[in-house]
Coordinates of all heavy atoms in Angstrom, one line a residue:
M1 N -3.4 -0.1 -61.3 CA -4.4 0.8 -61.9 C -5.0 1.7 -61.0 O -5.4 2.8 -61.3 CB -5.4 -0.1 -62.6 CG -6.3 0.7 -63.5 SD -7.5 -0.2 -64.5 CE -6.6 -1.5 -65.2
N2 N -5.2 1.3 -59.7 CA -5.8 2.2 -58.7 C -4.9 3.4 -58.4 O -5.4 4.5 -58.2 CB -6.1 1.4 -57.4 CG -7.2 0.4 -57.6 OD1 -8.0 0.5 -58.5 ND2 -7.2 -0.6 -56.7
E3 N -3.6 3.2 -58.5 CA -2.7 4.4 -58.2 C -2.8 5.4 -59.4 O -2.9 6.6 -59.1 CB -1.2 3.9 -58.1 CG -1.0 3.1 -56.8 CD 0.5 2.7 -56.6 OE1 1.3 3.0 -57.5 OE2 0.7 1.9 -55.7
A4 N -3.0 4.9 -60.6 CA -3.3 5.8 -61.7 C -4.6 6.5 -61.6 O -4.6 7.7 -61.9 CB -3.2 5.0 -63.0
L5 N -5.6 5.8 -61.0 CA -6.9 6.6 -60.8 C -6.7 7.7 -59.8 O -7.2 8.8 -60.0 CB -7.9 5.5 -60.3 CG -9.3 6.1 -60.0 CD1 -9.9 6.8 -61.2 CD2 -10.2 5.0 -59.5
L6 N -6.0 7.4 -58.7 CA -5.7 8.5 -57.7 C -5.0 9.6 -58.3 O -5.3 10.8 -58.0 CB -5.1 7.8 -56.5 CG -6.0 7.4 -55.4 CD1 -6.9 6.2 -55.8 CD2 -5.2 7.0 -54.1
K7 N -4.0 9.4 -59.1 CA -3.2 10.4 -59.8 C -4.2 11.3 -60.6 O -4.1 12.5 -60.7 CB -2.1 9.9 -60.6 CG -0.9 9.5 -59.8 CD 0.3 9.1 -60.7 CE 1.5 8.8 -59.9 NZ 2.7 8.5 -60.8
A8 N -5.0 10.6 -61.4 CA -6.0 11.4 -62.2 C -6.9 12.2 -61.4 O -7.2 13.3 -61.7 CB -6.8 10.4 -63.1
C9 N -7.3 11.7 -60.2 CA -8.2 12.5 -59.3 C -7.4 13.6 -58.7 O -8.1 14.7 -58.5 CB -8.8 11.5 -58.3 SG -10.0 10.3 -58.9
D10 N -6.2 13.4 -58.4 CA -5.4 14.4 -57.8 C -5.3 15.7 -58.8 O -5.4 16.8 -58.3 CB -3.9 13.9 -57.5 CG -3.1 14.9 -56.8 OD1 -3.4 15.3 -55.7 OD2 -2.1 15.3 -57.5
S11 N -5.1 15.3 -60.1 CA -4.9 16.4 -61.1 C -6.2 16.9 -61.7 O -6.3 17.8 -62.4 CB -3.9 16.0 -62.1 OG -4.4 14.8 -62.7
G12 N -7.3 16.1 -61.4 CA -8.6 16.5 -62.0 C -8.8 16.1 -63.5 O -9.6 16.8 -64.2
K13 N -8.1 15.1 -64.0 CA -8.2 14.7 -65.4 C -9.4 13.8 -65.6 O -9.3 12.6 -65.4 CB -6.8 14.1 -65.8 CG -5.7 15.0 -65.8 CD -4.4 14.4 -66.2 CE -3.3 15.4 -66.3 NZ -2.0 14.7 -66.6
L14 N -10.5 14.4 -65.9 CA -11.7 13.7 -66.0 C -11.7 12.6 -67.1 O -12.3 11.5 -66.8 CB -12.9 14.7 -66.3 CG -13.1 15.7 -65.2 CD1 -14.3 16.7 -65.6 CD2 -13.3 15.2 -63.8
N15 N -11.1 12.8 -68.2 CA -11.1 11.8 -69.2 C -10.3 10.6 -68.8 O -10.7 9.5 -69.0 CB -10.5 12.4 -70.5 CG -11.4 13.3 -71.3 OD1 -12.7 13.2 -71.1 ND2 -10.9 14.2 -72.0
D16 N -9.2 10.8 -68.1 CA -8.4 9.8 -67.6 C -9.1 9.0 -66.6 O -9.0 7.7 -66.5 CB -7.1 10.3 -66.9 CG -6.1 10.8 -68.0 OD1 -6.4 10.7 -69.2 OD2 -5.1 11.4 -67.6
I17 N -9.9 9.7 -65.7 CA -10.7 9.0 -64.6 C -11.7 8.1 -65.3 O -11.8 6.9 -64.9 CB -11.4 10.0 -63.8 CG1 -10.4 10.8 -62.9 CG2 -12.4 9.3 -62.8 CD1 -10.9 12.1 -62.2
E18 N -12.4 8.6 -66.3 CA -13.4 7.8 -67.0 C -12.7 6.6 -67.6 O -13.3 5.4 -67.6 CB -14.0 8.7 -68.2 CG -15.1 9.6 -67.7 CD -16.5 9.0 -67.5 OE1 -16.6 7.7 -67.5 OE2 -17.4 9.7 -67.2
Q19 N -11.6 6.8 -68.3 CA -10.9 5.6 -69.0 C -10.4 4.6 -68.0 O -10.6 3.4 -68.3 CB -9.7 6.2 -69.8 CG -10.1 6.9 -71.0 CD -9.0 7.5 -71.8 OE1 -7.8 7.5 -71.3 NE2 -9.2 8.1 -73.0
L20 N -9.9 5.0 -66.9 CA -9.5 4.1 -65.9 C -10.6 3.3 -65.2 O -10.5 2.1 -65.0 CB -8.6 4.8 -64.8 CG -7.3 5.3 -65.3 CD1 -6.7 6.4 -64.4 CD2 -6.3 4.1 -65.4
L21 N -11.7 4.0 -65.0 CA -12.9 3.3 -64.5 C -13.4 2.3 -65.5 O -13.8 1.1 -65.1 CB -13.9 4.2 -64.0 CG -13.6 5.1 -62.8 CD1 -14.7 6.1 -62.6 CD2 -13.4 4.2 -61.5
S22 N -13.4 2.7 -66.7 CA -13.9 1.7 -67.8 C -13.0 0.5 -67.9 O -13.4 -0.6 -68.3 CB -14.0 2.4 -69.1 OG -15.0 3.4 -69.1
A23 N -11.7 0.8 -67.7 CA -10.7 -0.3 -67.8 C -10.6 -1.2 -66.6 O -9.9 -2.2 -66.6 CB -9.3 0.3 -68.1
G24 N -11.4 -0.9 -65.5 CA -11.5 -1.8 -64.4 C -10.9 -1.3 -63.1 O -10.7 -2.0 -62.2
A25 N -10.4 0.0 -63.0 CA -9.9 0.5 -61.8 C -11.0 0.4 -60.7 O -12.2 0.6 -61.0 CB -9.5 1.9 -61.9
E26 N -10.7 0.1 -59.5 CA -11.6 0.0 -58.4 C -12.0 1.3 -57.9 O -11.2 2.0 -57.3 CB -11.1 -0.9 -57.3 CG -10.8 -2.3 -57.7 CD -10.1 -3.0 -56.5 OE1 -10.6 -3.1 -55.4 OE2 -9.0 -3.5 -56.8
I27 N -13.3 1.7 -58.1 CA -13.7 3.0 -57.6 C -13.5 3.3 -56.1 O -13.2 4.3 -55.7 CB -15.2 3.3 -58.0 CG1 -15.5 4.7 -57.8 CG2 -16.1 2.5 -57.2 CD1 -16.1 5.4 -58.9
N28 N -13.6 2.2 -55.3 CA -13.5 2.3 -53.9 C -12.2 1.7 -53.4 O -12.0 1.5 -52.2 CB -14.6 1.8 -53.2 CG -15.9 2.6 -53.4 OD1 -15.9 3.8 -53.2 ND2 -17.0 1.9 -53.8
G29 N -11.3 1.4 -54.3 CA -10.0 0.8 -53.9 C -9.2 1.7 -53.1 O -9.1 2.9 -53.3
V30 N -8.5 1.2 -52.1 CA -7.7 2.0 -51.2 C -6.2 1.8 -51.6 O -5.7 0.7 -51.7 CB -7.8 1.6 -49.7 CG1 -6.9 2.4 -48.8 CG2 -9.3 1.8 -49.3
V31 N -5.5 2.9 -51.7 CA -4.0 2.9 -52.0 C -3.4 3.4 -50.7 O -3.7 4.5 -50.2 CB -3.6 3.8 -53.1 CG1 -2.1 3.9 -53.3 CG2 -4.2 3.3 -54.4
E32 N -2.6 2.5 -50.1 CA -2.0 2.9 -48.8 C -1.2 4.2 -48.8 O -0.4 4.4 -49.8 CB -1.1 1.8 -48.3 CG -0.7 2.0 -46.9 CD 0.1 0.8 -46.3 OE1 -0.1 -0.3 -46.8 OE2 1.0 1.0 -45.4
G33 N -1.5 5.1 -48.0 CA -0.8 6.4 -47.9 C -1.6 7.5 -48.7 O -1.2 8.6 -48.6
D34 N -2.6 7.1 -49.5 CA -3.3 8.1 -50.3 C -4.9 7.9 -50.0 O -5.6 8.9 -50.3 CB -3.0 7.9 -51.8 CG -1.6 8.4 -52.1 OD1 -1.2 9.4 -51.6 OD2 -0.9 7.7 -52.9
G35 N -5.3 6.8 -49.7 CA -6.8 6.6 -49.5 C -7.4 6.2 -50.8 O -6.9 5.4 -51.5
T36 N -8.6 6.6 -51.0 CA -9.4 6.3 -52.2 C -9.4 7.4 -53.1 O -9.0 8.5 -52.8 CB -10.9 6.0 -51.7 OG1 -11.5 7.2 -51.3 CG2 -11.0 5.0 -50.7
A37 N -10.0 7.2 -54.4 CA -10.0 8.2 -55.4 C -10.9 9.4 -54.9 O -10.5 10.5 -55.1 CB -10.6 7.6 -56.7
L38 N -12.0 9.1 -54.2 CA -12.9 10.2 -53.7 C -12.2 11.0 -52.6 O -12.3 12.2 -52.6 CB -14.2 9.6 -53.2 CG -15.3 10.6 -52.9 CD1 -15.6 11.5 -54.0 CD2 -16.5 9.9 -52.4
I39 N -11.4 10.3 -51.7 CA -10.7 11.1 -50.8 C -9.7 12.0 -51.4 O -9.6 13.2 -51.0 CB -9.9 10.1 -49.8 CG1 -10.9 9.4 -48.9 CG2 -8.9 10.9 -48.9 CD1 -10.3 8.2 -48.1
V40 N -9.0 11.6 -52.4 CA -8.0 12.4 -53.1 C -8.7 13.6 -53.8 O -8.3 14.7 -53.7 CB -7.2 11.6 -54.1 CG1 -6.3 12.5 -55.0 CG2 -6.3 10.6 -53.3
A41 N -9.7 13.3 -54.6 CA -10.5 14.4 -55.3 C -11.0 15.4 -54.3 O -10.9 16.6 -54.6 CB -11.6 13.8 -56.1
A42 N -11.5 14.9 -53.2 CA -12.1 15.9 -52.2 C -11.0 16.7 -51.6 O -11.1 17.9 -51.4 CB -12.9 15.1 -51.1
R43 N -9.9 16.0 -51.3 CA -8.8 16.8 -50.6 C -8.2 17.8 -51.5 O -7.9 18.9 -51.1 CB -7.7 15.7 -50.3 CG -6.4 16.4 -49.7 CD -5.2 15.4 -49.5 NE -4.8 15.1 -50.9 CZ -4.3 14.0 -51.3 NH1 -4.3 12.9 -50.5 NH2 -3.8 13.8 -52.5
E44 N -8.2 17.5 -52.8 CA -7.6 18.4 -53.8 C -8.6 19.5 -54.3 O -8.2 20.4 -55.0 CB -7.0 17.7 -55.0 CG -5.8 16.8 -54.6 CD -4.7 17.6 -53.9 OE1 -4.3 18.7 -54.3 OE2 -4.2 17.1 -52.8
G45 N -9.8 19.4 -53.9 CA -10.8 20.4 -54.3 C -11.3 20.2 -55.7 O -11.8 21.2 -56.3
N46 N -11.2 19.0 -56.3 CA -11.6 18.7 -57.6 C -13.1 18.4 -57.7 O -13.4 17.2 -57.8 CB -10.7 17.7 -58.3 CG -9.3 18.1 -58.5 OD1 -9.1 19.3 -58.8 ND2 -8.3 17.2 -58.3
T47 N -13.9 19.4 -57.7 CA -15.3 19.2 -57.6 C -15.9 18.3 -58.8 O -16.7 17.4 -58.5 CB -16.1 20.5 -57.6 OG1 -15.6 21.4 -56.6 CG2 -17.6 20.4 -57.5
E48 N -15.5 18.6 -60.0 CA -15.9 17.8 -61.1 C -15.5 16.3 -61.0 O -16.3 15.4 -61.3 CB -15.4 18.4 -62.4 CG -16.0 19.8 -62.7 CD -17.5 19.7 -62.8 OE1 -18.1 18.8 -63.4 OE2 -18.1 20.7 -62.2
A49 N -14.3 16.1 -60.5 CA -13.9 14.7 -60.3 C -14.7 14.0 -59.2 O -15.1 12.9 -59.3 CB -12.4 14.6 -59.9
V50 N -15.0 14.8 -58.1 CA -15.9 14.3 -57.0 C -17.2 13.9 -57.6 O -17.8 12.8 -57.4 CB -16.1 15.3 -55.9 CG1 -17.2 14.9 -55.0 CG2 -14.7 15.5 -55.1
L51 N -17.8 14.7 -58.4 CA -19.1 14.4 -59.1 C -19.0 13.2 -59.9 O -19.9 12.3 -59.9 CB -19.7 15.7 -59.8 CG -20.1 16.8 -59.0 CD1 -20.2 18.1 -59.9 CD2 -21.4 16.5 -58.3
L52 N -18.0 13.1 -60.7 CA -17.8 12.0 -61.6 C -17.7 10.7 -60.8 O -18.4 9.6 -61.1 CB -16.6 12.2 -62.5 CG -16.3 11.1 -63.5 CD1 -17.4 10.8 -64.4 CD2 -15.0 11.4 -64.2
L53 N -16.9 10.7 -59.8 CA -16.8 9.5 -58.9 C -18.1 9.1 -58.2 O -18.4 7.9 -58.2 CB -15.6 9.7 -57.9 CG -14.2 9.9 -58.5 CD1 -13.3 10.4 -57.4 CD2 -13.7 8.6 -59.0
L54 N -18.8 10.1 -57.7 CA -20.1 9.7 -57.1 C -21.0 9.2 -58.1 O -21.8 8.2 -57.8 CB -20.6 11.0 -56.5 CG -19.9 11.5 -55.2 CD1 -20.4 12.9 -54.8 CD2 -19.9 10.5 -54.1
K55 N -21.0 9.7 -59.4 CA -21.8 9.2 -60.5 C -21.6 7.7 -60.7 O -22.5 6.9 -61.0 CB -21.7 10.1 -61.7 CG -22.4 9.5 -62.9 CD -22.1 10.4 -64.1 CE -22.3 9.6 -65.5 NZ -21.7 10.3 -66.6
H56 N -20.4 7.3 -60.6 CA -19.9 6.0 -60.8 C -20.0 5.1 -59.6 O -19.6 3.9 -59.6 CB -18.5 6.0 -61.4 CG -18.4 6.3 -62.8 ND1 -18.6 5.3 -63.8 CD2 -18.1 7.4 -63.4 CE1 -18.4 6.0 -65.0 NE2 -18.2 7.2 -64.8
G57 N -20.5 5.6 -58.5 CA -20.8 4.8 -57.3 C -19.8 4.8 -56.2 O -19.8 3.9 -55.4
A58 N -18.9 5.8 -56.2 CA -18.0 5.9 -55.1 C -18.7 6.1 -53.7 O -19.8 6.7 -53.7 CB -17.0 7.2 -55.3
D59 N -18.2 5.4 -52.8 CA -18.7 5.4 -51.4 C -18.4 6.7 -50.7 O -17.2 6.9 -50.3 CB -18.2 4.2 -50.6 CG -18.8 4.0 -49.2 OD1 -19.5 5.0 -48.8 OD2 -18.6 3.0 -48.6
V60 N -19.4 7.5 -50.5 CA -19.2 8.8 -49.9 C -18.6 8.7 -48.4 O -18.0 9.7 -48.0 CB -20.5 9.6 -50.0 CG1 -21.5 9.1 -49.0 CG2 -20.2 11.1 -49.7
N61 N -18.8 7.6 -47.8 CA -18.4 7.5 -46.4 C -17.2 6.5 -46.2 O -16.8 6.3 -45.0 CB -19.5 7.0 -45.5 CG -20.5 8.1 -45.3 OD1 -20.3 9.1 -44.9 ND2 -21.8 7.7 -45.7
Q62 N -16.6 6.1 -47.3 CA -15.5 5.1 -47.1 C -14.2 5.9 -46.7 O -13.8 6.9 -47.3 CB -15.1 4.4 -48.4 CG -14.0 3.4 -48.2 CD -13.7 2.6 -49.4 OE1 -14.3 2.8 -50.4 NE2 -12.7 1.8 -49.4
G63 N -13.7 5.5 -45.5 CA -12.5 6.0 -45.0 C -11.3 5.1 -45.2 O -11.4 4.0 -45.6
A64 N -10.1 5.7 -44.9 CA -8.9 4.8 -44.9 C -8.0 5.3 -43.8 O -7.8 6.5 -43.6 CB -8.2 5.0 -46.3
S65 N -7.6 4.4 -42.9 CA -6.7 4.7 -41.8 C -5.6 5.6 -42.2 O -4.8 5.3 -43.2 CB -6.3 3.4 -41.1 OG -5.5 3.7 -40.0
G66 N -5.4 6.7 -41.6 CA -4.3 7.6 -41.9 C -4.7 8.7 -43.0 O -4.0 9.6 -43.2
D67 N -5.8 8.4 -43.7 CA -6.2 9.3 -44.8 C -7.6 9.9 -44.6 O -8.0 10.6 -45.5 CB -6.1 8.5 -46.1 CG -4.7 8.0 -46.4 OD1 -3.8 8.8 -46.4 OD2 -4.6 6.8 -46.7
G68 N -8.2 9.7 -43.5 CA -9.5 10.2 -43.2 C -10.5 9.6 -44.2 O -10.6 8.5 -44.5
N69 N -11.5 10.5 -44.5 CA -12.6 10.1 -45.4 C -12.8 11.3 -46.3 O -12.2 12.4 -46.0 CB -13.8 9.6 -44.7 CG -14.5 10.6 -43.9 OD1 -14.5 11.8 -44.1 ND2 -15.1 10.2 -42.8
P70 N -13.6 11.2 -47.3 CA -13.8 12.4 -48.2 C -14.3 13.7 -47.4 O -13.8 14.8 -47.8 CB -14.9 11.9 -49.2 CG -14.7 10.4 -49.2 CD -14.3 10.1 -47.8
L71 N -15.2 13.5 -46.6 CA -15.7 14.7 -45.8 C -14.6 15.3 -45.0 O -14.4 16.6 -44.9 CB -16.9 14.3 -44.9 CG -17.6 15.5 -44.2 CD1 -18.2 16.5 -45.2 CD2 -18.7 14.9 -43.3
I72 N -13.9 14.5 -44.2 CA -12.8 15.0 -43.4 C -11.8 15.8 -44.2 O -11.4 16.9 -43.9 CB -12.1 13.9 -42.6 CG1 -13.0 13.3 -41.6 CG2 -10.8 14.4 -42.0 CD1 -12.5 12.0 -40.9
M73 N -11.4 15.2 -45.3 CA -10.4 15.9 -46.1 C -10.8 17.1 -46.8 O -10.1 18.1 -46.8 CB -9.8 14.9 -47.2 CG -9.1 13.7 -46.6 SD -7.9 14.1 -45.4 CE -6.6 14.5 -46.5
A74 N -12.1 17.1 -47.3 CA -12.6 18.4 -47.9 C -12.8 19.5 -46.9 O -12.4 20.6 -47.1 CB -14.0 18.1 -48.6
A75 N -13.2 19.2 -45.7 CA -13.4 20.2 -44.7 C -12.0 20.7 -44.2 O -11.8 21.8 -44.0 CB -14.2 19.5 -43.4
R76 N -11.1 19.8 -44.0 CA -9.7 20.2 -43.5 C -9.1 21.1 -44.5 O -8.4 22.1 -44.1 CB -8.9 18.9 -43.4 CG -7.5 19.3 -42.7 CD -6.6 18.1 -42.7 NE -5.9 18.1 -44.0 CZ -5.0 17.2 -44.3 NH1 -4.7 16.2 -43.5 NH2 -4.4 17.2 -45.5
E77 N -9.3 20.9 -45.8 CA -8.7 21.8 -46.8 C -9.5 23.0 -47.2 O -9.1 23.8 -48.0 CB -8.4 20.9 -48.1 CG -7.4 19.8 -47.8 CD -6.0 20.3 -47.3 OE1 -5.6 21.4 -47.8 OE2 -5.4 19.6 -46.5
G78 N -10.7 23.1 -46.6 CA -11.5 24.3 -46.8 C -12.3 24.3 -48.1 O -12.7 25.4 -48.5
H79 N -12.6 23.2 -48.7 CA -13.4 23.0 -49.9 C -14.9 22.9 -49.6 O -15.5 21.9 -49.6 CB -12.9 21.8 -50.7 CG -11.5 21.9 -51.0 ND1 -10.9 22.9 -51.7 CD2 -10.5 21.0 -50.8 CE1 -9.6 22.6 -51.8 NE2 -9.3 21.5 -51.3
V80 N -15.4 24.1 -49.3 CA -16.8 24.2 -48.8 C -17.8 23.6 -49.8 O -18.8 22.9 -49.3 CB -17.2 25.7 -48.5 CG1 -18.6 25.8 -48.0 CG2 -16.2 26.3 -47.4
E81 N -17.7 23.9 -51.0 CA -18.6 23.3 -52.1 C -18.6 21.8 -52.0 O -19.7 21.2 -52.1 CB -18.2 23.8 -53.5 CG -19.1 23.3 -54.5 CD -18.7 23.9 -55.9 OE1 -17.8 24.7 -56.0 OE2 -19.4 23.4 -56.9
I82 N -17.4 21.2 -51.9 CA -17.4 19.8 -51.9 C -18.0 19.2 -50.5 O -18.6 18.2 -50.5 CB -15.9 19.3 -52.1 CG1 -15.5 19.6 -53.5 CG2 -15.8 17.8 -51.8 CD1 -14.1 19.3 -53.9
V83 N -17.7 19.9 -49.4 CA -18.3 19.5 -48.2 C -19.8 19.5 -48.3 O -20.5 18.5 -47.9 CB -17.9 20.5 -47.0 CG1 -18.7 20.2 -45.8 CG2 -16.4 20.3 -46.7
S84 N -20.4 20.5 -48.9 CA -21.8 20.6 -49.0 C -22.3 19.5 -50.0 O -23.3 18.8 -49.7 CB -22.2 22.0 -49.6 OG -23.6 22.1 -49.9
L85 N -21.6 19.2 -51.0 CA -22.0 18.2 -52.0 C -21.9 16.8 -51.3 O -22.8 16.0 -51.5 CB -21.0 18.2 -53.1 CG -21.1 17.0 -54.2 CD1 -22.4 17.1 -54.9 CD2 -19.9 17.2 -55.1
L86 N -20.9 16.5 -50.5 CA -20.8 15.2 -49.8 C -21.9 15.1 -48.8 O -22.5 14.0 -48.7 CB -19.4 15.1 -49.2 CG -18.3 15.0 -50.1 CD1 -16.9 15.2 -49.4 CD2 -18.3 13.8 -51.0
L87 N -22.2 16.1 -48.1 CA -23.3 16.1 -47.1 C -24.6 15.8 -47.8 O -25.4 15.0 -47.3 CB -23.4 17.4 -46.3 CG -22.2 17.6 -45.3 CD1 -22.3 19.0 -44.7 CD2 -22.2 16.5 -44.2
D88 N -24.8 16.5 -49.0 CA -26.1 16.2 -49.7 C -26.2 14.8 -50.2 O -27.2 14.3 -50.4 CB -26.2 17.2 -50.9 CG -26.5 18.6 -50.5 OD1 -26.9 18.8 -49.4 OD2 -26.3 19.5 -51.4
R89 N -25.0 14.1 -50.4 CA -25.0 12.8 -50.9 C -24.9 11.7 -49.7 O -24.7 10.6 -50.0 CB -23.8 12.5 -51.8 CG -23.8 13.4 -53.1 CD -24.9 13.0 -54.0 NE -25.0 13.9 -55.2 CZ -24.5 13.5 -56.4 NH1 -23.9 12.4 -56.5 NH2 -24.5 14.3 -57.4
G90 N -25.1 12.2 -48.5 CA -25.2 11.3 -47.4 C -24.0 11.1 -46.5 O -23.9 10.1 -45.7
A91 N -23.0 12.0 -46.7 CA -21.8 11.9 -45.8 C -22.1 12.0 -44.4 O -22.9 12.8 -44.0 CB -20.7 12.9 -46.2
L92 N -21.6 11.1 -43.5 CA -21.9 11.1 -42.1 C -20.9 12.0 -41.4 O -19.7 11.8 -41.5 CB -21.8 9.7 -41.6 CG -22.7 8.7 -42.2 CD1 -22.4 7.2 -41.7 CD2 -24.1 9.1 -41.9
V93 N -21.4 13.0 -40.7 CA -20.6 14.0 -40.0 C -19.8 13.4 -38.8 O -18.7 13.8 -38.6 CB -21.5 15.1 -39.5 CG1 -20.7 16.1 -38.7 CG2 -22.2 15.8 -40.6
N94 N -20.4 12.4 -38.2 CA -19.7 11.9 -36.9 C -19.0 10.6 -37.2 O -18.7 9.9 -36.3 CB -20.7 11.7 -35.8 CG -21.3 13.0 -35.3 OD1 -20.5 14.0 -35.2 ND2 -22.5 13.1 -35.0
Q95 N -18.8 10.3 -38.5 CA -18.1 9.0 -38.8 C -16.7 9.0 -38.3 O -15.9 10.0 -38.5 CB -18.1 8.7 -40.3 CG -17.4 7.4 -40.6 CD -17.3 7.2 -42.1 OE1 -17.3 8.2 -42.9 NE2 -17.1 6.0 -42.5
V96 N -16.3 8.0 -37.6 CA -14.9 7.8 -37.1 C -14.2 6.8 -38.0 O -14.7 5.8 -38.3 CB -14.9 7.3 -35.7 CG1 -13.5 7.0 -35.2 CG2 -15.6 8.2 -34.7
V97 N -13.0 7.2 -38.5 CA -12.2 6.4 -39.3 C -11.1 5.8 -38.3 O -10.3 6.5 -37.7 CB -11.4 7.1 -40.4 CG1 -10.5 6.2 -41.2 CG2 -12.4 7.8 -41.3
E98 N -11.3 4.5 -38.1 CA -10.4 3.8 -37.1 C -8.9 4.0 -37.4 O -8.5 3.9 -38.6 CB -10.7 2.3 -37.1 CG -12.0 1.9 -36.5 CD -12.3 2.4 -35.1 OE1 -11.3 2.4 -34.3 OE2 -13.4 3.0 -34.8
G99 N -8.1 4.3 -36.4 CA -6.7 4.5 -36.6 C -6.3 5.8 -37.3 O -5.2 6.0 -37.7
D100 N -7.3 6.8 -37.4 CA -7.0 8.0 -38.1 C -6.9 9.1 -37.2 O -7.8 9.4 -36.4 CB -8.1 8.2 -39.2 CG -7.7 9.4 -40.1 OD1 -6.6 9.7 -40.2 OD2 -8.6 9.9 -40.7
E101 N -5.9 9.9 -37.3 CA -5.7 11.1 -36.4 C -6.5 12.3 -37.0 O -6.5 13.3 -36.4 CB -4.2 11.4 -36.3 CG -3.5 12.0 -37.5 CD -3.2 10.9 -38.6 OE1 -3.4 9.7 -38.3 OE2 -2.6 11.3 -39.6
K102 N -7.1 12.2 -38.2 CA -7.7 13.3 -38.8 C -9.2 13.4 -38.5 O -10.0 13.9 -39.3 CB -7.4 13.3 -40.3 CG -6.0 13.4 -40.7 CD -5.8 13.3 -42.1 CE -4.4 13.4 -42.5 NZ -3.7 12.1 -42.6
R103 N -9.7 12.8 -37.4 CA -11.0 12.7 -37.1 C -11.7 14.1 -36.9 O -10.9 15.0 -36.6 CB -11.2 11.9 -35.7 CG -10.8 10.5 -35.9 CD -10.8 9.8 -34.6 NE -11.7 10.3 -33.7 CZ -11.9 9.6 -32.5 NH1 -11.3 8.4 -32.3 NH2 -12.8 10.0 -31.6
T104 N -13.0 14.2 -37.1 CA -13.7 15.5 -36.9 C -14.2 15.7 -35.5 O -14.6 16.8 -35.2 CB -14.8 15.6 -37.9 OG1 -15.8 14.6 -37.7 CG2 -14.3 15.7 -39.4
D105 N -14.3 14.7 -34.7 CA -14.8 14.8 -33.3 C -13.6 14.9 -32.3 O -12.5 14.7 -32.7 CB -15.8 13.7 -33.0 CG -15.2 12.4 -32.8 OD1 -13.9 12.2 -33.2 OD2 -15.8 11.4 -32.5
S106 N -14.0 15.3 -31.1 CA -13.0 15.4 -30.1 C -12.8 14.2 -29.2 O -12.0 14.3 -28.2 CB -13.2 16.7 -29.3 OG -14.4 16.6 -28.7
S107 N -13.4 13.2 -29.4 CA -13.4 12.0 -28.5 C -12.2 11.1 -28.8 O -11.5 11.2 -29.8 CB -14.6 11.2 -28.6 OG -14.9 10.8 -29.9

């Protein structure tokens, strides 16, 4: 079910996201190779999906090794509106995702 949630977030299908969450998909579940639903929505620039996930309690700072975190992915892809939104919701600028090459700092 978590893979279906990530697919819905990738394509921005808000009704599907709502239905999957209602059916028990894990909002902060990690799918190896893709990360979390919020990481996918942020990476793809799906602002409405990001807002919906945050409304349902998605962790703005949850990262996944190899997939970064929502802020890293939104910034990397140039989605300025989503970067601003995530920062407003408490995203940590200096957060390190262990084992991730997509870090935002140079250490």
Side-chain angles (χ1 to χ4, degrees):
M1 190 174 314
N2 291 339
E3 289 180 9
L5 177 60
L6 269 62
K7 281 185 178 185
C9 290
D10 183 67
S11 60
K13 294 182 178 177
L14 301 180
N15 288 334
D16 290 354
I17 295 169
E18 284 277 9
Q19 289 177 348
L20 288 161
L21 291 173
S22 294
E26 297 174 57
I27 191 127
N28 293 311
V30 176
V31 174
E32 191 173 334
D34 290 316
T36 66
L38 188 56
I39 290 171
V40 170
R43 180 189 70 216
E44 296 304 317
N46 291 324
T47 304
E48 294 301 317
V50 168
L51 287 167
L52 180 60
L53 292 167
L54 291 171
K55 174 184 159 193
H56 281 276
D59 183 347
V60 72
N61 288 305
Q62 183 177 358
S65 182
D67 298 307
N69 63 34
L71 183 61
I72 289 170
M73 296 308 279
R76 188 186 84 177
E77 298 300 322
H79 303 304
V80 177
E81 181 180 354
I82 293 175
V83 168
S84 180
L85 172 64
L86 294 170
L87 290 171
D88 287 346
R89 298 293 179 97
L92 301 174
V93 175
N94 294 322
Q95 181 185 18
V96 175
V97 178
E98 293 300 321
D100 189 17
E101 71 282 358
K102 298 177 180 93
R103 295 168 33 167
T104 57
D105 66 356
S106 59
S107 57

